[in-house]
């Protein structure tokens, strides 16, 4: 063996940590898995948040690169404008009720509002680290919660109104306006949930039913019900009129409730956990109707407004399930890394998702590697950052190789990435320069 040839691979401790599934007949599948209509690549770091305007023509994204970007959803090459002035990661960004304004908030406590038509700065405010942000559904009132527990309400861009929902000493972790905009529900890190009057900023009620921090909130389409999910694995169903708990579900132990959604078309509620559990509960009987496990953490779920379908960001995929049975209906593959947010467009069939990186130059091919060597082959490709593991699928990154046959493709692939001695080790039958 030549002296410059690397030694045969070994399964060291670091490699042992990588999950490599068993596969029948030692088949490695390298497959093109990009279902995205457009790919927007103006961010240079992980994208933490995304939202559409009210008609789905524009989208706004915010990320770790301290920027928010407004862009045209019909093209992947044009940014309408870039929001500058943030000093830390942008964790929230959204359009107001008529899409004339866009707001963005960062972890340094800076919140900005820009005019969508002109791309000009309209208003800003500085406070402590912001944890959530929401527009009023019908007026230009903007709400936000902070790490010190205070929640703010501003009228923008005039700034006439500037009010505080005062803290009780712990961080505000999540918040949302009910559908008619009259009330604001806020979750806190000590497990408490508060309901505020959005008009006069007075406290309506407080619940202390969760034992750990509240992670997510949802409200029914008519605003009569509120659901809160917490780190303790429980979900509380609350009646908004008197702020009393109607029912409590112990969804899972030692796993957080990451996302909750109400269906408009059916009396059902969807619950997603950090362990990948999707549970559907019947609101008329409070019983579990259907459940499944997606195999990866559920980051966010969005229930359809017109059907019993729920769309879920899970791992690097977007998946669609029937809420009546938890039957998987579709999966869209468009990312190399974990999706961090999901927004559903008002235009049916369009969704925007953002993770960390995008795949380029993928190829479609099935490869058969000599028995006993495919694990080492996969690990070698992963070490070279040119292979992405997604379940039982392996996506080759940044390499496009044309070949008439699978064997020729395999040979060309290995000749371009591996020393010849490695090629002979992994698949002696394909050790030549490919079939003619």
């Amino acid at each position: 063996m030549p002296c410059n040839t690397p030694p045969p691979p070994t399964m060291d401790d670091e490699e042992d940590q990588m999950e490599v599934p068993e596969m029948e007949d030692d088949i490695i599948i390298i497959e093109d898995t990009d279902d995205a209509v457009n790919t927007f690549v103006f961010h240079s770091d992980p994208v933490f948040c995304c939202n559409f305007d009210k008609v789905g023509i524009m989208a706004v994204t915010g990320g770790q690169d301290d920027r928010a970007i407004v862009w045209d959803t019909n093209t992947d090459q044009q940014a309408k404008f870039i929001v500058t002035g943030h000093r830390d990661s942008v964790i929230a960004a959204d359009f107001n009720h008529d899409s004339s304004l866009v707001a963005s908030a960062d972890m340094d406590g800076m919140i900005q509002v820009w005019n969508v038509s002109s791309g000009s700065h309209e208003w800003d405010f500085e406070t402590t680290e912001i944890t959530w942000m929401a527009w009023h559904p019908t007026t230009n009132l903007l709400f936000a919660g902070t790490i010190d527990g205070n929640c703010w309400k501003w009228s923008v861009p005039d700034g006439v109104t500037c009010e505080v929902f005062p803290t009780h000493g712990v961080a505000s972790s999540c918040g949302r306006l009910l559908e008619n905009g009259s009330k604001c529900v806020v979750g806190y890190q000590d497990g408490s949930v508060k309901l505020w009057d959005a008009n006069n900023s007075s406290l309506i009620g407080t619940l202390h039913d969760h034992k750990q921090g509240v992670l997510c909130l949802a409200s029914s389409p008519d605003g009569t019900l509120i659901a809160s999910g917490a780190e303790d694995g429980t979900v509380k169903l609350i009646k908004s009129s008197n702020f009393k708990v109607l029912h409590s579900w112990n969804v899972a132990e030692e796993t957080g409730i990451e996302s909750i959604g109400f269906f408009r078309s059916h009396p059902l509620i969807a619950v997603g956990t950090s362990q990948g559990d999707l549970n559907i509960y019947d609101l008329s009987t409070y019983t579990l109707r259907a459940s499944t496990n997606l195999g990866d953490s559920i980051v966010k779920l969005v229930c359809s407004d017109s059907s019993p379908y729920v769309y879920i960001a899970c791992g690097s995929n977007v998946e669609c399930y029937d809420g009546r049975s938890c039957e998987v209906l579709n999966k869209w593959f468009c990312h190399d890394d974990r999706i961090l947010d999901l927004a559903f467009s008002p235009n049916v069939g369009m969704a925007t998702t953002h993770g960390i990186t995008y795949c380029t130059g993928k190829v479609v091919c099935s490869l058969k590697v000599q028995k006993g060597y495919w694990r080492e082959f996969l690990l070698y490709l992963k070490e070279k950052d040119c292979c992405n593991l997604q379940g039982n699928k392996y996506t080759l990154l940044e390499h496009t190789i044309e070949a008439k046959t699978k064997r020729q493709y395999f040979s060309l692939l290995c000749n371009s990435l591996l020393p010849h001695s490695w090629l002979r080790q992994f698949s002696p039958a394909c050790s030549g320069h490919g079939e003619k």
Side-chain angles (χ1 to χ4, degrees), residues 54 94-99 134-143 176-184 198:
K54 304 312 174 187
D94 199 3
F95 296 91
N96 70 335
H97 66 100
D98 61 4
S99 304
W135 283 100
H136 190 279
T138 59
T139 67
N140 287 336
L141 289 174
L142 186 62
F143 297 76
R176 64 177 292 118
L177 275 295
L178 300 193
E179 272 53 32
N180 61 7
S182 64
K183 300 172 182 176
C184 178

Side-chain angles (χ1 to χ4, degrees), residues 198-215:
N199 296 318
N200 58 28
S201 304
S202 62
L203 180 63
I204 296 174
T206 303
L207 295 174
H208 301 281
D209 288 49
H210 292 294
K211 296 179 181 179
Q212 297 182 43
V214 180
L215 297 176

Side-chain angles (χ1 to χ4, degrees), residues 56 58 88 122 134 139 189 195 224 229 255 258 280 395 408 428 432:
M58 292 178 292
D88 207 333
E122 294 283 344
T139 67
Q189 285 190 357
L195 188 64
T224 60
T255 181
E258 295 293 331
I280 307 295
T395 304
Q408 183 186 28

